Amino acid sequence: MHIMRKSLLVYLSISFVLVDAFEPVTTTVIVGATGFLYPLGKKIYNYFRETCNDDWIGFNTTGLEKDLERKLFGQHIASRVVLKGVTGFMNNKSPKKPLVLSLHGSTGTGKNFVSQLIADNIYKKGMTSNYVHLFTSTAHFPHPSQIDTYKVQLQQWIKGNVSSCPRSLFIFDEMDKMPLGLIDSIKPYLDYYDNLEGVSYRHAIFIFLSNAGGQNISQVALDFWLKGKDREEIQLKDLEAALSLEVFNNKNSGFWHTSLIDKNLVDFFIPFLPLERRHIRACALAEMAAQGLPLDEEIAGRVADEMIYSPKAERVFASKGCKTTRSKLDYYT
């Protein structure tokens, strides 16, 4: 791309030097050609360089629906709520506030994966897009004593990036490890404001990921299993009380005593159910397909068998979900 631009500039320079050597009619032709080449070169340059426009950003409703259906296992509630929430927001040309999703559940149940699927179906470059920003609490905010500095940096980072591209996506991982009070610093950006200091945040998306609530969600799922009920019978209303109790009252939830809750700025609290052996097998097979390997049911079964399950007596739910599926699969392949 650099070579192309350099060649174009050299050509333009030569053209301007030659202008004085030609008759008026010839000069007109050359200048006209130069005027044509410059926008053409700019168009070619923008084709390869990511920009905040429809060429690089556009919501694929069907793609997200299919990805959630085919790639996410054991999460009928999360799939439905995510699809409904993201589709409604992206199809709204004049949203009143940014979309704010809070994903909760035990490790390995698909929270990060769903964030990736959302990014993949909005941004042409997916998670590698310049407009997708991932924050991990232990990496970006490791010292609670520096919370005041973090607040200023986080505000500046969000404001700067939304100024550059209104359709920005911010993902906050490990919310349960977030320094208390930090997330309150971005409350104004999630609220119902037309703009703040000339910047509108209404088209941005914020996703919070947390393990908080995982144990309570697992207990509800276990109760259904013990009663002989199908996990697909579990509805969002069955989990709301258990989830809210953990998220609102736990100091390690990342949302404890936060104004985001008081002001109802989180649009959807989305529970992720613990995964069973059959889901681990499905994850293993999906990973084989992603790596271009032949699907091997026997190996998928071995991977599932090696997982640690809880409770110890019943061995129903995989303690780490699908998180270590890839590493175990590498051992057998």
Side-chain angles (χ1 to χ4, degrees):
M1 192 68 252
H2 177 71
I3 295 175
M4 181 183 294
R5 292 184 63 199
K6 185 175 181 181
S7 300
L8 180 59
L9 290 174
V10 170
Y11 180 86
L12 295 181
S13 299
I14 294 173
S15 298
F16 283 121
V17 170
L18 292 176
V19 165
D20 292 334
F22 290 95
E23 296 296 326
V25 175
T26 308
T27 300
T28 302
V29 173
I30 292 177
V31 172
T34 302
F36 168 76
L37 283 172
Y38 178 75
L40 176 62
K42 184 177 181 181
K43 185 175 182 180
I44 293 174
Y45 176 71
N46 287 337
Y47 179 81
F48 291 100
R49 177 179 178 273
E50 185 184 24
T51 52
C52 184
N53 58 33
D54 294 342
D55 291 334
W56 293 90
I57 303 175
F59 181 51
N60 183 352
T61 309
T62 304
L64 179 59
E65 182 176 12
K66 289 183 177 179
D67 281 347
L68 290 170
E69 179 183 345
R70 299 173 182 177
K71 300 178 181 180
L72 182 67
F73 307 109
Q75 304 299 348
H76 64 285
I77 298 174
S79 294
R80 183 172 63 251
V81 178
V82 166
L83 182 62
K84 179 181 178 180
V86 175
T87 300
F89 178 76
M90 293 299 296
N91 289 339
N92 186 351
K93 295 182 179 180
S94 302
K96 299 298 182 183
K97 63 180 290 296
L99 176 64
V100 183
L101 306 177
S102 188
L103 281 50
H104 296 264
S106 303
T107 183
T109 52
K111 301 184 298 295
N112 280 282
F113 185 56
V114 165
S115 301
Q116 176 188 321
L117 295 182
I118 292 173
D120 287 345
N121 286 284
I122 295 179
Y123 303 91
K124 190 173 182 179
K125 296 183 68 175
M127 289 295 293
T128 63
S129 170
N130 292 324
Y131 310 119
V132 176
H133 313 282
L134 173 63
F135 299 92
T136 303
S137 295
T138 51
H140 294 96
F141 317 113
H143 307 295
S145 60
Q146 297 182 21
I147 186 172
D148 291 336
T149 300
Y150 294 152
K151 286 182 178 180
V152 174
Q153 292 175 339
L154 187 56
Q155 290 173 339
Q156 292 176 341
W157 182 257
I158 292 176
K159 180 179 180 180
N161 281 287
V162 175
S163 298
S164 174
C165 184
R167 185 67 82 187
S168 292
L169 169 61
F170 301 92
I171 303 171
F172 293 84
D173 195 9
E174 299 181 338
M175 275 295 294
D176 46 304
K177 298 179 178 64
M178 181 80 69
L180 291 178
L182 176 57
I183 207 63
D184 263 339
S185 66
I186 68 170
K187 180 259 177 188
Y189 307 139
L190 311 184
D191 215 328
Y192 293 82
Y193 294 118
D194 289 334
N195 66 76
L196 293 171
E197 299 179 338
V199 180
S200 174
Y201 298 85
R202 291 185 168 189
H203 292 279
I205 299 176
F206 294 81
I207 302 178
F208 301 116
L209 313 179
S210 177
N211 289 341
Q215 290 186 350
N216 289 4
I217 294 171
S218 294
Q219 185 59 53
V220 172
L222 181 61
D223 291 342
F224 268 72
W225 184 85
L226 291 173
K227 294 177 182 177
K229 295 182 178 180
D230 193 332
R231 67 187 280 129
E232 277 67 32
E233 295 181 46
I234 303 175
Q235 300 181 34
L236 182 59
K237 64 180 182 180
D238 297 316
L239 295 163
E240 286 177 331
L243 183 57
S244 61
L245 183 65
E246 180 73 11
V247 173
F248 303 158
N249 300 325
N250 189 338
K251 289 184 178 181
N252 296 321
S253 72
F255 289 105
W256 187 66
H257 286 189
T258 175
S259 59
L260 271 65
I261 304 299
D262 298 337
K263 300 296 183 180
N264 298 311
L265 298 182
V266 178
D267 298 295
F268 299 95
F269 285 95
I270 305 174
F272 281 67
L273 298 169
L275 300 183
E276 300 173 10
R277 184 182 183 280
R278 55 187 169 125
H279 303 126
I280 305 304
R281 290 182 68 261
C283 285
L285 291 170
E287 183 61 33
M288 291 178 195
Q291 294 185 24
L293 300 172
L295 301 185
D296 192 316
E297 294 281 354
E298 182 179 352
I299 290 179
R302 290 181 184 177
V303 170
D305 290 340
E306 285 195 2
M307 295 292 181
I308 298 175
Y309 292 87
S310 63
K312 290 184 177 180
E314 292 85 355
R315 287 178 49 84
V316 183
F317 304 127
S319 299
K320 295 183 179 180
C322 285
K323 196 164 189 175
T324 59
T325 300
R326 174 177 292 185
S327 59
K328 290 186 179 296
L329 189 61
D330 290 340
Y331 175 79
Y332 286 109
T333 58

